Amino acid sequence: MVIASLSAPLHAAYEPDLEQAVIVLEGMGFRVRRAPLLEAGRHHWWSAATPAEIAREFNALLRDPEVRAIIAHDGGQTALGYLDLIDVEAIAADPKPILGYSDISLLHLVLYARTGLVGFHADLATPGLGGAWQTAPAARRAELEKLYSALLTSPEPIGALPASPSWECWRPGRAEGLLVGGVINRIVLMQATRYALPLEWFDGAVLFWEETGGLASYVWSYLQVLRHSGVLDRIAGMVVGVPHAIDGLGAPDVSPTLREIVLDVLGDRDIPVLGNVEFGHAGPNLPMPVGIRVALDAQQRTLSLLEPVVRATPLG
């Protein structure tokens, strides 16, 4: 497994967190190395390097038969700059899982649309494995380590993801379909490009999304974009992540809760909605594999993976 700078730079202050992430991955039994651009202090504006440089390194990892998985060290603002430079033929010839959330959502969605690659909307290396995982209760961390290891190596479906008391039924019902989603602002951005998922790919899908930063009104607006584009008329269910640092959300007499925003935009669309699920910026993350068939039961607060995610190939 390779940790790579697919977007944001590595700041020197987070080098210890990155080193801790390596320890976590090695503890799961993976062989780990760092890609060359993952160098503390290296940057180009807000990015680890120019889009062309990141794409060149990313493509080299995609073509390297010894690399069996790639995890982004962090999110950022750069993936939009190199979506057209990715070697999709290398992915088709040798599919390998890519892990990460935030800006990495774009890679999962675009590569799924172009190649069918299943990407993991899952914890990043530095703020996730080396950060949020270190403050999680020991039992939860052990549960996540077992889950990530099984998803990356097992040829069998995982079944139900481990639920917690935070999960909420916002609208009851059951659905089965392909799991599609990511950070909601990135979903909206991607749908404005030539790499947009065709609308019919949302037919019967379970849409998952999360958001960080900005205003509560922005979330409402993003959902309205998905309504106007027809996405909300096609999906069979929705799973919403724990919100993170969204200003004004649930402020008394000022703004609704996230649940109220979702139900307001959905209107009379009678689909199950499961809310406050632990994936995304609130971390630690349950992995959400894009393109895998899932079963959602909002009333029972369950989300089950019905297919294996990767081939049984040793990871390096």
Side-chain angles (χ1 to χ4, degrees):
M1 180 178 291
V2 174
I3 305 175
S5 288
L6 300 180
S7 193
L10 172 64
H11 299 292
Y14 295 105
E15 179 71 38
D17 292 345
L18 180 60
E19 293 173 357
Q20 188 61 51
V22 172
I23 293 172
V24 170
L25 291 169
E26 289 178 340
M28 295 183 200
F30 302 133
R31 300 185 302 274
V32 183
R33 63 181 170 92
R34 292 166 56 161
L37 289 179
L38 187 53
E39 179 183 346
R42 180 191 180 99
H43 70 94
H44 173 72
W45 298 344
W46 49 81
S47 175
T50 67
E53 289 171 325
I54 292 178
R56 188 157 46 247
E57 179 167 281
F58 187 33
N59 287 335
L61 296 175
L62 294 174
R63 296 166 187 148
D64 187 341
E66 293 187 356
V67 176
R68 305 315 313 149
I70 303 167
I71 180 170
H73 106 86
D74 203 351
Q77 304 292 333
T78 306
L80 275 169
Y82 64 88
L83 295 179
D84 54 338
L85 302 178
I86 298 172
D87 186 351
V88 293
E89 293 182 358
I91 294 172
D94 183 18
K96 56 192 72 174
I98 298 166
L99 288 75
Y101 63 86
S102 196
D103 198 36
I104 311 305
S105 291
L106 282 166
L107 297 182
H108 299 326
L109 291 166
V110 168
L111 297 181
Y112 174 59
R114 298 185 70 187
T115 71
L117 179 72
V118 172
F120 282 26
H121 185 279
D123 263 312
L124 298 153
T126 306
L129 304 182
W133 281 41
Q134 305 308 308
T135 60
R140 182 61 167 176
R141 176 172 162 174
E143 186 175 52
L144 288 171
E145 288 179 354
K146 181 179 179 181
L147 177 61
Y148 274 60
S149 179
L151 281 171
L152 286 166
T153 61
S154 175
E156 301 298 325
I158 293 300
L161 291 175
S164 79
S166 75
W167 294 21
E168 299 172 348
C169 175
W170 289 356
R171 181 167 285 171
R174 292 182 292 179
E176 285 191 17
L178 294 181
L179 188 65
V180 179
V183 179
I184 193 169
N185 67 68
R186 292 305 193 262
I187 298 172
V188 170
L189 284 172
M190 188 202 70
Q191 291 302 104
T193 74
R194 60 180 166 141
Y195 303 115
L197 282 176
L199 271 181
E200 57 267 24
W201 285 33
F202 289 97
D203 288 341
V206 175
L207 177 69
F208 77 93
W209 61 270
E210 53 108 354
E211 181 60 313
T212 183
L215 303 174
S217 61
Y218 294 176
V219 178
W220 182 85
S221 296
Y222 296 142
L223 286 169
Q224 293 288 1
V225 171
L226 297 182
R227 180 179 70 85
H228 288 303
S229 68
V231 169
L232 298 187
D233 291 324
R234 293 172 176 264
I235 61 174
M238 181 182 290
V239 183
V240 183
V242 179
H244 180 258
I246 299 175
D247 289 343
L249 194 62
D253 302 322
V254 176
S255 178
T257 64
L258 188 58
R259 176 182 182 275
E260 289 171 327
I261 289 173
V262 169
L263 297 183
D264 175 71
V265 179
L266 282 178
D268 60 2
R269 294 169 180 81
D270 189 18
I271 61 172
V273 182
L274 182 64
N276 223 40
V277 178
E278 300 99 331
F279 61 86
H281 289 77
N285 273 254
L286 292 174
M288 306 291 280
V290 174
I292 289 297
R293 191 165 186 84
V294 298
L296 166 65
D297 189 328
Q299 182 76 40
Q300 297 300 316
R301 297 185 298 170
T302 62
L303 181 65
S304 302
L305 307 185
L306 302 180
E307 299 173 322
V309 178
V310 295
R311 296 173 296 177
T313 304
L315 297 184

